[in-house]
Amino acid sequence: MFSVKIHNSIERVKKSDWDRVSQNHGLLQYGWIKAIEQTLSESFTPWYPMLYENDEPVAAMALRQINMAEGEDSFDFHLFGRLYPFFSFLGISSLPTIDSMPLKGYPALFLSVPDSNPSRVLNRLQTLLTSIQDRSWRAKRSIAFTRVVGDDLNAMRLLRLNNYARMIAPPLAYLDIVWPTFRAYRQDRMRLSKNTRKKIAREINHNQKAGVSIVVLDHLDGYEDELYRLIKLNAVKHNPAAAFYTHHFFHVLKANVKRGLRLYTAFKNNQMVGMSLFLADADIWHSLFVGIDHEIDGNDLTYFNIT
């Protein structure tokens, strides 16, 4: 017998229940979602629908009710396209709307315990989606899953069966690391152009001669405020959506994510001028944040070197 519970905070979900359905996927692990929830509370309201079968958790989704515009990462942008600035100026919006929770990467939309019977899995997920649609309809909220990719087969099949329209997807940045070392990568680039390998070497040497050193840190201790300063500076220049994170984000991240964080930092004159934070999930590294102090860094090419 199925039952569905929709929680408005990940802390209302038993960690053991969430771990069971999420299989500890990096971008859907309990700690990462908790960190996101605690530092983005102004821009959205969390929804965590959990499907139980005979009181055992068998499926779930990480969703959010978006309450305010998030620039080019919002449903309004995908819906209105090039007319988004015009409709935004007029105050026309589809918000609030229901979207998937993860703000980084493109993990599976539906979470489910492993099962060898595909039909049983699909039936569970349909029950969960029907419950969400009913809740959204009663709350007069639109639904837009903007981070679903084509290889998420369960989601694509289920959304088609439920007559969801498919819009043009934003481009993804994905690099298949097939080289055993960075040296091998540079040598392989010669296949594309004889000058590529030399260009990479020049940009690395330029950064080093400018007095910048790249340091890999295995912890965030003592650097939380400085890391936040750098992503804010980079956000002002390139990515306004990142500004929604509150100042204590890295403190919360350190407290909740216990595995997989990889931090690359750049120092110049004993001052941190750049950072790049990854979340390692098995063989995949998800790029979470890049932060650069553009005023101090100038033309030192730190962004190229740290990413």
Side-chain angles (χ1 to χ4, degrees), residues 154-282:
N154 278 335
M156 293 298 292
R157 181 180 180 186
L158 203 58
L159 295 178
R160 280 198 298 267
L161 289 174
N162 285 269
N163 299 315
Y164 279 73
R166 186 177 182 183
M167 293 181 284
I168 298 176
L172 305 182
Y174 176 82
L175 178 62
D176 189 7
I177 306 295
V178 297
W179 309 276
T181 63
F182 186 68
R183 181 186 296 273
Y185 164 75
R186 291 169 58 180
Q187 292 174 339
D188 183 62
R189 295 302 83 192
M190 291 185 65
R191 295 187 303 105
L192 302 178
S193 168
K194 292 182 180 180
N195 294 325
T196 301
R197 183 182 176 187
K198 293 182 179 179
K199 181 181 178 182
I200 293 174
R202 281 198 306 268
E203 292 178 345
I204 293 175
N205 291 335
H206 176 84
N207 189 243
Q208 292 175 344
K209 289 179 179 178
V212 179
S213 58
I214 307 297
V215 180
V216 182
L217 299 179
D218 59 2
H219 61 84
L220 306 181
D221 297 346
Y223 292 105
E224 296 91 346
D225 293 335
E226 186 66 9
L227 294 172
Y228 181 73
R229 183 185 74 87
L230 290 173
I231 68 167
K232 286 283 287 184
L233 288 173
N234 203 54
V236 170
K237 189 173 181 65
H238 296 297
N239 183 19
F244 282 86
Y245 294 89
T246 55
H247 69 280
H248 60 287
F249 172 74
F250 286 99
H251 295 275
V252 175
L253 186 67
K254 183 187 72 173
N256 289 286
V257 179
K258 304 300 183 182
R259 62 178 182 86
L261 289 177
R262 303 288 187 270
L263 177 62
Y264 290 75
T265 59
F267 286 86
K268 182 177 181 179
N269 298 327
N270 295 320
Q271 183 174 354
M272 189 183 292
V273 297
M275 57 80 70
S276 183
L277 182 66
F278 297 86
L279 181 61
D281 181 24

Side-chain angles (χ1 to χ4, degrees), residues 19 60-61 71 99-100 103 107 118 128 131 151 191 206 214 225 237 245 298 302:
D19 291 345
M61 299 177 75
D99 196 356
S100 51
L103 305 181
L128 189 61
S131 176
D151 59 358
R191 295 187 303 105
H206 176 84
I214 307 297
D225 293 335
K237 189 173 181 65
Y245 294 89
T302 297

